[in-house]
Amino acid sequence: MNIGEIAKRAGVSRSTVSYALSGKRPVSEDTRQKIQRVIDELGYQPNASARALANGRTDTIGLVFPPAGNHYTGMQLDFIGSVTEAAAAYDYDVLLSPSGADSDRSFQRLLGERRVDGAILMEIRLQDDRLDHLTAVDFPSVAIGRTAHPEGGWWVGLDHTALAAACVHHLADLGHRRIAFVNRPEQLLRAGYESAHRGLDGFTKAAAERGLAVRTYCCGDDPASGLACLERILHDDPATTALVTLNEAALGGLYGGLAQAGRHVPRDFSVTGVVASRWAETVTPQLTAADVPAEQLGRLAVDLLVERLDHPDTPARHHLLAPPISLRASTAPAAHTHP
C-alpha cells in the first residue's frame, strides 16, 4: 500500500497525502480526516525511511559502544539494555555501533549518512577524539562518562573517584591496613579510560589519607584473570587483608582465588568495589559495593539526548552520580592474625 493508492481512494493529490502525514504544510481538517479514514481502512503504515525523508528525522538514536576487550561484560550489557528500554519509551529505535576512534568507518557512516538523529557514547576516555569530532560537526550527542575537561558538555557519569575512595574508607574504618586495588585491564588504563583512571586516583588518594599500605593491579575482564591476579596479590604481600575492585567481570575469579588460598570471606579477607548490584548479588557471600546504577545512567542519557533533539538551544546539562555503598556480606573487621 503506497501514498498513490491512498490519494486515489481519498480523491486528493499525492502531495496532499504527504503533507497530511508529515505535517509539513497545513491540510484542512476535512481532508485530513478523509485521508485518515482511508489509511485506517487500508491499515497503512508509513515506511520509516520515507517518513525520515519527509520530516528529516529517523526516530533512531545511535549507541556508540566499543566492547572494551574482545567481549561485552555483564555491566556493559546492562547499559545497552537500559538505553534501549529508555529509548523505546520515547518511541526511538537504537542502532548499536561498536565504533572506537573517530577514524572508525562504522562511526563515520553513522554520522555521514545521518542514520541516526543523535548519539550516546560509552567507554569514554579522558581525551576522546569521538566526542571532539561530534562537537566540531555539531552533532547532538550525550556521553556516559566524563572526559578530562567535561565543562560545557552533555554527559551522565559515575563519580569513580569518590566511589573508590568510599570503599577505601569503609575498609580502613574496619581496621584494614594492607589493601590491594584490582583495576580494569592494562590496555584500558593505557588508552585513558576515565573510570579506570579516576577509580585509581580515588583509591590512591584515600589510601594515602588513611596511611595504608597498598598495591595496585590491572586485571583482565574475566574470571581466569581474576584468579591469577589474586594469586599475585597474596604472593606480593601475604599480609594483605582486603581488596577494592572496579572489575566485576573478574569477581568470580577473585573469590575463587581466595577460596583456593584458604582465605575465608569476610572472616580472613574483605572484598568490596564498584559493581552493578545484580553482579554484587551473584557472588557468595554477596559483595559490599558501591552499586553502579546502570538502568538510571542509561535512562538519564536518553532523557538528555531527547531533550537536546527537541530543544536544540538548551544549554548543556549533566548528571554526576555517587551512589552509597550497599553493605552486604563480604566485608568485616580486619583479623589480627593472618594464615
Side-chain angles (χ1 to χ4, degrees):
M1 183 47 52
N2 59 32
I3 283 181
E5 185 65 23
I6 293 166
K8 200 158 80 187
R9 294 200 184 198
V12 297
S13 69
R14 289 173 63 100
S15 58
T16 304
V17 175
S18 177
Y19 295 145
L21 288 174
S22 69
K24 279 213 162 176
R25 289 196 191 169
V27 171
S28 81
E29 189 55 27
D30 278 0
T31 306
R32 202 189 59 74
Q33 281 182 4
K34 201 189 305 177
I35 292 167
Q36 192 57 53
R37 271 197 301 278
V38 173
I39 286 173
D40 293 342
E41 268 167 41
L42 299 174
Y44 172 75
Q45 284 290 321
N47 173 293
S49 321
R51 210 167 54 232
L53 281 173
N55 65 12
R57 292 279 284 260
T58 64
D59 294 335
T60 304
I61 57 180
L63 179 58
V64 181
F65 196 167
N70 52 6
H71 64 286
Y72 287 113
T73 68
M75 197 186 288
Q76 291 168 326
L77 292 171
D78 284 350
F79 274 122
I80 292 172
S82 73
V83 167
T84 308
E85 229 167 273
Y90 284 108
D91 283 334
Y92 274 92
D93 293 323
V94 175
L95 181 64
L96 183 63
S97 170
S99 310
D102 90 345
S103 55
D104 187 297
R105 286 220 311 279
S106 166
F107 186 60
Q108 292 297 356
R109 232 180 9 250
L110 201 68
L111 301 183
E113 297 174 14
R114 288 276 163 166
R115 293 184 173 193
V116 294
D117 298 330
I120 291 173
L121 270 75
M122 301 202 59
E123 300 294 347
I124 298 300
R125 298 159 189 220
L126 290 171
Q127 310 295 332
D128 204 303
D129 54 5
R130 298 168 307 162
L131 278 172
D132 296 341
H133 183 75
L134 290 173
T135 306
V137 299
D138 199 23
F139 190 84
S141 68
V142 172
I144 298 187
R146 286 178 293 161
T147 60
H149 301 288
E151 310 80 27
W154 290 80
W155 54 271
V156 298
L158 205 55
D159 194 341
H160 285 91
T161 313
L163 297 182
C167 291
V168 171
H169 291 305
H170 170 64
L171 293 172
D173 290 346
L174 290 169
H176 293 277
R177 312 298 304 152
R178 309 181 81 79
I179 302 175
F181 181 63
V182 179
N183 205 339
R184 300 290 302 285
E186 193 181 339
Q187 73 266 25
L188 300 193
L189 200 63
R190 275 205 310 267
Y193 270 56
E194 71 108 3
S195 55
H197 278 271
R198 288 202 166 100
L200 177 59
D201 202 32
F203 174 86
T204 311
K205 284 181 179 152
E209 236 173 80
R210 301 298 292 261
L212 308 179
V214 296
R215 288 171 187 268
T216 62
Y217 298 83
C218 283
C219 177
D221 282 333
D222 59 86
S225 302
L227 180 66
C229 184
L230 198 281
E231 286 170 353
R232 219 161 57 241
I233 289 168
L234 294 183
H235 172 268
D236 293 348
D237 181 6
T240 304
T241 61
L243 69 80
V244 174
T245 184
L246 295 187
N247 194 325
E248 54 154 36
L251 203 51
L254 295 170
Y255 266 57
L258 286 165
Q260 276 184 24
R263 302 281 178 110
H264 179 274
V265 179
R267 190 183 63 226
D268 312 316
F269 202 102
S270 287
V271 184
T272 183
V274 183
V275 173
S277 61
R278 80 180 177 93
W279 300 97
E281 288 163 4
T282 54
V283 287
T284 306
Q286 292 192 354
L287 187 75
T288 288
D291 297 340
V292 175
E295 204 176 299
Q296 189 185 3
L297 283 165
R299 198 175 57 245
L300 287 171
V302 172
D303 288 347
L304 284 185
L305 184 58
V306 170
E307 182 182 339
R308 204 176 167 181
L309 291 169
D310 289 348
H311 309 285
D313 300 329
T314 308
R317 297 200 307 116
H318 66 265
H319 299 283
L320 183 62
L321 308 182
I325 287 184
S326 298
L327 295 173
R328 294 191 183 92
S330 66
T331 54
H336 294 300
T337 54
H338 308 295

